[in-house]
Amino acid sequence: MTLVLPSELVVDRFLPTVRAMLATQLAERGMTQQEIAANLGVTQAAVSKYISGENGGDDRFRDDPETIATVDRIADGLASGEMDGYDALAELLSLVRTLEDRGPICELHEEVMPELQGLGCDLCVRGLDPDVRTERDVLATVRTAARTLAATPGMAALVPNVGTNIGMALPEARDETDVAAIPGRIYAMSGRIEIPANPEFGASKHVATAVLAAQDTDPDVRGALNIATDDDLLAAAEARGYEPLEFDAEYEDRGTHLRERFAERGSVPRVAYHCGAFGIEPTTFVFGNTAEDAVALLGELVDEAANGQ
């Protein structure tokens, strides 16, 4: 693992870029290189390089609207004398906090530390707390489940035309924003499974509806995925003693309908399905305590169905 602190990126990538931008802006406002050097705390030779463009910088920050606006504000303040070093520092610290909140610094941090990608990391903003840790774990679980699903033999044939998704809820989830899933859904292309993006919270109303209904009946059931309804797969579930539950295909009030069906049964089934309706593809939900559990069960059922043929 490459351990890089965000503050290192601020010093190595952000600060040189902002200094170069400020040097250019202050020169355009009539300040001498010596005056600019005094304001920025660098040598006159460094200012000369900044103004000539030799120092480069990171376009990620150079093109950022918040950075541009802040640099303009500081340059105006320093050139007019309405702002001193303390004021300029306050402006820059505020900008850094903004850029760390899913901004360019966060983006750069994920590039140099790939372990953070897809985790929705916001340690810089919220710090380390149990809620952040739980969210991170859920996102990581969904990401692993999606990769396992993509490697499941025969999975491409079970992906409906509208796509498949995998979801997992936070404990005591209240709405779809508390359920992590794959944005844009998972599709089959040329016999392969395509996962378009890393998981995010609130990315799928479809799978979130099923997960939330399940959680209301059994708080331990927090994961689910949807696939095309397949008779062999349902038979495999029956053979393994899971007793698939059929439910109504209509989308309207599906959450309420699922809750009623689960309540009638007295538990959340591992497999629930419908046979479709006009304009609605036949769909099956596979449930598990986690997203990985749901994918693991699907793998078992696929194997069972293949061996039973």
Side-chain angles (χ1 to χ4, degrees):
M1 180 180 76
T2 302
L3 185 60
V4 179
L5 294 174
S7 55
E8 294 180 66
L9 302 176
V10 171
V11 172
D12 295 340
R13 306 284 282 275
F14 168 77
L15 192 54
T17 305
V18 169
R19 280 176 171 160
M21 293 172 68
L22 273 171
T24 301
Q25 292 292 328
L26 291 172
E28 291 177 355
R29 286 164 174 76
M31 292 183 71
T32 66
Q33 290 190 7
Q34 187 173 359
E35 290 172 329
I36 295 172
N39 275 282
L40 298 186
V42 297
T43 65
Q44 187 173 339
V47 171
S48 178
K49 288 184 177 180
Y50 286 145
I51 294 175
S52 66
E54 291 181 31
N55 200 268
D58 194 316
D59 288 340
R60 192 185 322 257
F61 301 116
R62 197 185 299 279
D63 298 334
D64 177 68
E66 290 286 346
T67 303
I68 294 171
T70 300
V71 167
D72 284 343
R73 195 160 52 247
I74 293 174
D76 285 339
L78 292 177
S80 65
E82 295 178 358
M83 186 180 289
D84 59 17
Y86 182 91
D87 298 322
L89 179 62
E91 289 278 354
L92 287 178
L93 287 173
S94 177
L95 174 62
V96 167
R97 285 192 292 270
T98 298
L99 300 184
E100 286 178 336
D101 189 3
R102 307 312 302 166
I105 291 176
C106 187
E107 178 184 332
L108 181 58
H109 198 197
E110 289 183 346
E111 283 185 13
V112 299
M113 198 171 169
E115 294 85 356
L116 299 174
Q117 292 178 7
L119 298 181
C121 171
D122 55 4
L123 283 171
C124 298
V125 181
R126 295 172 60 180
L128 184 63
D129 63 50
D131 290 340
V132 172
R133 172 76 65 180
T134 300
E135 291 175 7
R136 173 186 168 182
D137 289 345
V138 168
L139 289 167
T141 300
V142 174
R143 182 170 60 174
T144 300
R147 291 173 176 172
T148 303
L149 185 77
T152 300
M155 182 59 213
L158 295 173
V159 176
N161 292 328
V162 295
T164 287
N165 216 325
I166 304 171
M168 183 172 171
L170 293 168
E172 301 179 4
R174 293 170 296 180
D175 55 41
E176 65 186 79
T177 63
D178 292 327
V179 180
I182 304 297
R185 300 192 183 182
I186 299 168
Y187 289 92
M189 297 183 66
S190 303
R192 295 181 296 104
I193 300 297
E194 296 290 335
I195 304 172
N198 283 313
E200 296 177 7
F201 284 98
S204 173
K205 181 176 182 180
H206 181 65
V207 76
T209 297
V211 172
L212 292 170
Q215 254 201 321
D216 281 352
T217 301
D218 184 348
D220 290 334
V221 179
R222 294 165 49 202
L225 61 89
N226 73 286
I227 55 173
T229 297
D230 179 85
D231 290 339
D232 291 335
L233 207 68
L234 295 178
E238 188 79 42
R240 284 180 170 263
Y242 292 125
E243 193 182 349
L245 175 71
E246 185 173 6
F247 66 94
D248 189 78
E250 295 298 328
Y251 285 112
E252 189 174 349
D253 296 328
R254 175 169 289 178
T256 300
H257 177 67
L258 285 173
R259 287 177 178 85
E260 292 173 351
R261 297 290 285 125
F262 296 163
E264 291 171 7
R265 184 186 177 105
S267 63
V268 177
R270 297 299 301 275
V271 178
Y273 71 99
H274 68 68
C275 296
F278 182 75
I280 301 176
E281 284 187 273
T283 296
T284 295
F285 287 105
V286 180
F287 294 94
N289 287 4
T290 69
E292 288 184 87
D293 290 341
V295 172
L297 174 57
L298 176 61
E300 293 176 15
L301 299 180
V302 169
D303 287 342
E304 178 79 23
N307 293 331
Q309 289 182 349

Coordinates of all heavy atoms in Angstrom, one line a residue, residues 205-206 209 247-261 274 277-280:
K205 N -32.6 3.0 -7.2 CA -33.9 2.9 -6.5 C -34.5 1.5 -6.6 O -35.2 1.0 -5.6 CB -34.9 3.9 -7.1 CG -36.2 3.9 -6.5 CD -37.1 5.0 -7.1 CE -38.5 5.0 -6.3 NZ -39.4 6.1 -6.9
H206 N -34.3 0.8 -7.7 CA -34.8 -0.5 -8.0 C -34.4 -1.5 -6.9 O -35.2 -2.1 -6.2 CB -34.4 -1.0 -9.4 CG -35.0 -2.3 -9.7 ND1 -36.3 -2.5 -9.9 CD2 -34.3 -3.5 -10.0 CE1 -36.5 -3.8 -10.3 NE2 -35.3 -4.4 -10.3
T209 N -35.3 -0.6 -3.1 CA -36.7 -0.8 -2.7 C -36.8 -2.2 -2.1 O -37.4 -2.4 -1.1 CB -37.6 -0.7 -3.9 OG1 -37.6 0.6 -4.4 CG2 -39.1 -1.1 -3.5
F247 N -44.0 -12.7 -6.2 CA -44.6 -11.4 -5.9 C -45.1 -10.7 -7.1 O -44.8 -11.2 -8.2 CB -43.7 -10.5 -5.1 CG -42.5 -10.0 -5.8 CD1 -42.5 -8.8 -6.5 CD2 -41.3 -10.8 -5.8 CE1 -41.4 -8.4 -7.1 CE2 -40.2 -10.4 -6.5 CZ -40.2 -9.1 -7.2
D248 N -45.9 -9.7 -7.0 CA -46.5 -9.0 -8.1 C -45.5 -8.2 -8.9 O -44.6 -7.6 -8.3 CB -47.6 -8.1 -7.6 CG -48.4 -7.5 -8.7 OD1 -49.3 -8.2 -9.2 OD2 -48.2 -6.3 -9.1
A249 N -45.7 -8.2 -10.2 CA -44.7 -7.6 -11.1 C -44.8 -6.1 -11.1 O -43.8 -5.4 -11.5 CB -44.8 -8.2 -12.5
E250 N -45.9 -5.5 -10.8 CA -46.1 -4.1 -11.0 C -45.1 -3.3 -10.1 O -44.8 -3.6 -9.0 CB -47.5 -3.7 -10.6 CG -48.5 -4.3 -11.5 CD -48.4 -3.8 -13.0 OE1 -47.9 -2.6 -13.2 OE2 -48.7 -4.6 -13.9
Y251 N -44.6 -2.2 -10.7 CA -43.7 -1.3 -10.0 C -44.4 -0.5 -8.9 O -43.8 -0.1 -7.9 CB -43.0 -0.3 -10.9 CG -41.9 -1.0 -11.8 CD1 -42.1 -1.2 -13.1 CD2 -40.7 -1.5 -11.2 CE1 -41.1 -1.8 -13.9 CE2 -39.7 -2.1 -12.0 CZ -39.9 -2.2 -13.3 OH -39.0 -2.8 -14.1
E252 N -45.6 -0.1 -9.1 CA -46.3 0.8 -8.2 C -46.4 0.2 -6.8 O -46.9 -1.0 -6.7 CB -47.7 1.1 -8.8 CG -48.4 2.2 -8.0 CD -49.7 2.6 -8.6 OE1 -50.0 2.2 -9.8 OE2 -50.5 3.4 -8.0
D253 N -46.0 0.9 -5.8 CA -46.0 0.4 -4.4 C -45.3 -0.9 -4.3 O -45.7 -1.8 -3.4 CB -47.5 0.3 -4.0 CG -48.2 1.7 -3.9 OD1 -47.5 2.7 -3.7 OD2 -49.4 1.7 -4.2
R254 N -44.3 -1.2 -5.0 CA -43.6 -2.4 -4.9 C -43.0 -2.6 -3.5 O -43.1 -3.8 -3.0 CB -42.4 -2.6 -5.9 CG -41.6 -3.8 -5.7 CD -40.7 -4.1 -6.9 NE -41.4 -4.5 -8.1 CZ -40.8 -4.8 -9.2 NH1 -39.5 -4.6 -9.4 NH2 -41.6 -5.2 -10.3
G255 N -42.5 -1.6 -2.9 CA -41.9 -1.7 -1.6 C -43.0 -2.2 -0.6 O -42.8 -3.1 0.2
T256 N -44.2 -1.6 -0.6 CA -45.3 -1.9 0.2 C -45.7 -3.4 0.0 O -45.9 -4.2 0.9 CB -46.5 -1.0 0.0 OG1 -46.1 0.3 0.3 CG2 -47.6 -1.4 1.0
H257 N -45.8 -3.7 -1.3 CA -46.2 -5.1 -1.6 C -45.2 -6.1 -1.1 O -45.6 -7.2 -0.6 CB -46.3 -5.2 -3.2 CG -46.7 -6.6 -3.6 ND1 -47.9 -7.2 -3.4 CD2 -46.0 -7.5 -4.3 CE1 -47.9 -8.4 -3.9 NE2 -46.8 -8.6 -4.5
L258 N -43.9 -5.9 -1.3 CA -42.9 -6.8 -0.8 C -43.0 -6.9 0.7 O -42.9 -8.0 1.3 CB -41.5 -6.4 -1.2 CG -41.2 -6.6 -2.7 CD1 -39.8 -5.9 -3.0 CD2 -41.1 -8.1 -3.0
R259 N -43.2 -5.8 1.4 CA -43.3 -5.9 2.9 C -44.5 -6.8 3.3 O -44.4 -7.5 4.3 CB -43.4 -4.5 3.5 CG -42.2 -3.6 3.4 CD -42.4 -2.2 3.9 NE -41.2 -1.5 3.9 CZ -40.7 -0.8 2.9 NH1 -41.3 -0.8 1.7 NH2 -39.6 -0.1 2.9
E260 N -45.6 -6.6 2.6 CA -46.8 -7.4 2.9 C -46.5 -8.9 2.7 O -46.9 -9.7 3.5 CB -47.9 -6.9 2.1 CG -48.4 -5.5 2.5 CD -49.5 -5.0 1.5 OE1 -49.8 -5.7 0.5 OE2 -50.1 -4.0 1.9
R261 N -45.8 -9.2 1.6 CA -45.6 -10.6 1.2 C -44.6 -11.2 2.2 O -44.7 -12.3 2.7 CB -45.0 -10.7 -0.2 CG -45.9 -10.3 -1.3 CD -47.1 -11.3 -1.4 NE -46.7 -12.5 -2.1 CZ -46.8 -13.7 -1.6 NH1 -47.4 -13.9 -0.5 NH2 -46.4 -14.7 -2.4
H274 N -40.8 -12.5 -9.8 CA -42.1 -12.4 -10.5 C -41.9 -12.8 -12.0 O -40.7 -12.9 -12.5 CB -42.6 -10.9 -10.4 CG -41.8 -9.9 -11.1 ND1 -41.8 -9.8 -12.5 CD2 -41.1 -8.8 -10.6 CE1 -41.0 -8.8 -12.8 NE2 -40.6 -8.2 -11.7
A277 N -44.8 -8.7 -16.6 CA -46.1 -8.1 -17.0 C -45.9 -7.3 -18.3 O -44.7 -7.2 -18.8 CB -46.7 -7.3 -15.9
F278 N -46.9 -6.7 -18.8 CA -46.7 -5.9 -20.0 C -45.7 -4.8 -19.8 O -45.8 -3.9 -18.9 CB -48.1 -5.2 -20.4 CG -48.0 -4.4 -21.7 CD1 -47.9 -5.1 -22.9 CD2 -47.9 -3.0 -21.6 CE1 -47.8 -4.4 -24.1 CE2 -47.8 -2.3 -22.8 CZ -47.8 -3.0 -24.0
G279 N -44.6 -4.8 -20.5 CA -43.5 -3.8 -20.4 C -42.6 -4.1 -19.2 O -41.7 -3.2 -19.0
I280 N -42.8 -5.1 -18.5 CA -41.9 -5.4 -17.3 C -41.3 -6.8 -17.5 O -42.0 -7.8 -17.6 CB -42.8 -5.4 -16.0 CG1 -43.5 -4.0 -15.9 CG2 -41.9 -5.6 -14.8 CD1 -44.4 -3.9 -14.7

